[in-house]
Amino acid sequence: MTDAAHHTSPTAAEVRAALAAVADPERAAGAARYFQTGVGQYGEGDLFIGVTVPEARAVVKRFSSLPANETELLLADPVHEHRLTGLLILVAQFALASAARTRDDQERRALAEFYLEQVRAGRVNNWDLVDLSAPGLLGEYLFDRPRGLLYELAASGILWQRRVAVIATHTFIRHGDASTTLDLAERLLGDPEPLLHKAVGWMLREVGARVDRAVLVEFLDQHAGRMPRTMLSYATEHLSPELRAHYRAVPR
C-alpha cells in the first residue's frame, strides 16, 4: 500500500460496511418495535439493521476522523444506526476539539452549527439520537454562551427539536446550573407529547439529584398541578414515597 493510500480519509461507505458486519436482523426487528416504527407512531418508517450502541461506539473509534461531507451522508441515511453512528462521530470530534490539549474553538463552532443543521433538517429524529448527541454537543457548546437558541428549539412545532432543547440542558445541570432547565420546563408544561413529558421530567429529576433537591421541590410546589402525569412521575422518582404521593394528590 502506498503512503497516499494510508492517508486517504475514511468514508461513509466504510462506516456502513463496519456496521453491517455486526448487524443482527433479529435485533433489528426488536428495535423496530421498541422505537415504535409503525404507522402513526413516533418512529414511523425508521429502518433498523440491529446494531447496539456499544457496537456503534466501537465503530466510531475506528472512524472518528470522518470528514463532514461523509458524516452528512450517514446523517441523511434512512437507516437508524447509520444516523446514530454519524451523530456519535460528531460528539467524539466535538470532545476532541474541546479538550484542553487539542482545543479548537473554530472547529467547535463548526461542529455545533453542523449539528444544528442536521437537527433542523429532521435527521436527529428519535429519542435515542437526541439523547446521545444533544448534551455532548449543543449542551457543551452553549454552556458558556447565550442560550437563546434552546428557547427557539423549545418553541418548535417539531417534537425532536423540543427534545433537543430540553436534553441539551443536562450538560448545564452537570455543571450545577438548573436555570435553563427550569425555564424550559415551565414553558413546556402544556406540551402534548409524552416523549417530551418524559424528557422534561427526567431533567427535573436530574436537577433534584445533581443540583439541589430544594430547587426541584420549589418547582413542584409551584407547578405540580399543571404537570402531565408522566412528567410528574419522572420528576419525583428520587423523592420519598410520601413526597411523591403528596405531589400526585395535588389538585389538577
Side-chain angles (χ1 to χ4, degrees):
M1 190 178 281
T2 65
D3 282 347
H6 275 299
H7 293 297
T8 54
S9 295
T11 65
E14 290 172 326
V15 175
R16 289 192 192 98
L19 291 169
V22 293
D24 178 338
E26 198 172 312
R27 211 159 47 204
R33 289 190 297 273
Y34 182 66
F35 287 100
Q36 300 193 26
T37 59
V39 176
Q41 295 182 307
Y42 66 76
E44 181 175 350
D46 209 352
L47 302 176
F48 288 82
I49 57 173
V51 177
T52 66
V53 173
E55 287 168 342
R57 288 194 190 280
V59 170
V60 169
K61 284 181 181 172
R62 292 164 53 195
F63 297 100
S64 59
S65 61
L66 194 71
N69 61 326
E70 295 292 323
T71 305
E72 186 155 27
L73 293 176
L74 293 178
L75 293 168
D77 198 294
V79 172
H80 186 97
E81 293 94 337
H82 294 170
R83 300 196 305 284
L84 171 69
T85 304
L87 290 167
L88 291 175
I89 286 170
L90 287 183
V91 172
Q93 291 175 346
F94 190 85
L96 184 67
S98 302
R101 294 179 63 183
T102 49
R103 189 173 178 95
D104 182 338
D105 286 326
Q106 196 172 339
E107 176 73 356
R108 291 175 89 245
R109 178 174 180 161
L111 286 164
E113 289 177 350
F114 180 68
Y115 174 71
L116 194 56
E117 284 171 18
Q118 305 310 308
V119 169
R120 288 182 164 146
R123 293 167 176 174
V124 188
N125 59 346
N126 215 314
W127 59 263
D128 62 322
L129 303 182
V130 171
D131 297 1
L132 289 167
S133 62
L137 222 155
L138 208 52
E140 289 291 346
Y141 183 68
L142 293 176
F143 175 64
D144 55 0
R145 286 180 169 76
R147 299 172 186 174
L149 171 62
L150 296 184
Y151 293 86
E152 286 175 40
L153 290 172
S156 167
I158 297 164
L159 163 63
W160 306 119
Q161 294 189 21
R162 301 199 301 280
R163 187 163 176 122
V164 164
V166 172
I167 299 295
T169 70
H170 195 247
T171 299
F172 311 157
I173 294 167
R174 284 194 295 104
H175 288 291
D177 177 2
S179 59
T180 307
T181 307
L182 298 174
D183 278 353
L184 293 180
E186 190 170 355
R187 288 167 186 244
L188 293 165
L189 287 173
D191 198 277
E193 293 286 350
L195 278 174
L196 213 279
H197 302 166
K198 290 178 182 179
V200 172
W202 173 24
M203 290 304 102
L204 288 171
R205 183 184 76 205
E206 290 291 289
V207 167
R210 292 172 179 261
V211 180
D212 189 343
R213 201 184 84 142
V215 171
L216 169 61
V217 166
E218 185 181 353
F219 185 90
L220 294 170
D221 286 343
Q222 288 181 36
H223 302 295
R226 293 174 55 209
M227 291 170 73
R229 286 290 180 191
T230 302
M231 186 188 294
L232 186 63
S233 176
Y234 273 65
T236 57
E237 204 169 50
H238 289 173
L239 299 180
S240 68
E242 295 77 19
L243 260 185
R244 286 205 304 275
H246 164 73
Y247 288 119
R248 276 202 303 271
V250 170
R252 309 186 76 73

